[in-house]
Amino acid sequence: MNQYIEMSDNNEARKIITDTIKGLVGGRVIHSREDIIRFLCGEGFDIPDVSEDSITVSAPDEPGNTLTFTGYLFSSQFKLTRSATDIEVTTGEVGA
């Protein structure tokens, strides 16, 4: 994935990365934020910062050009659990 993304076009790069990750979550390849971080590192991205609510990435050849991803998928709360019949998103909220 990374070889096709020009980080200098941040909006397009953000969309490609987000869509790819959503596809991997939907395909049950990614189950947690840790999986997302491993995937991004495996694709050659650097991860200069991780907070409770976000992941910041940069291309190795553009360390000053970063993208910060926020939202549930990129938060420490994101985790999918497996059950015998289905997969459900664990939100960490009671009654959600």
Side-chain angles (χ1 to χ4, degrees), residues 30-51:
I30 287 180
H31 300 98
S32 66
R33 179 166 80 161
E34 291 75 21
D35 289 344
I36 292 172
I37 292 169
R38 276 191 289 276
F39 170 76
L40 291 169
C41 289
E43 290 294 314
F45 290 100
D46 290 333
I47 311 292
D49 188 49
V50 176
S51 74

Side-chain angles (χ1 to χ4, degrees), residues 33-34 51-54 71-79:
R33 179 166 80 161
E34 291 75 21
S51 74
E52 188 172 327
D53 299 320
S54 67
Y72 179 69
L73 281 179
F74 303 99
S75 75
S76 61
Q77 298 295 312
F78 171 62
K79 185 167 181 96

Side-chain angles (χ1 to χ4, degrees), residues 1 4 10 23 26 34 42 57 78 81 86-87 94:
M1 173 183 68
Y4 302 109
N10 285 350
E34 291 75 21
V57 302
F78 171 62
T81 57
D86 202 3
I87 198 163
V94 177

Side-chain angles (χ1 to χ4, degrees), residues 20-33:
T20 299
I21 290 172
K22 285 180 178 180
L24 292 170
V25 169
R28 300 180 183 178
V29 174
I30 287 180
H31 300 98
S32 66
R33 179 166 80 161

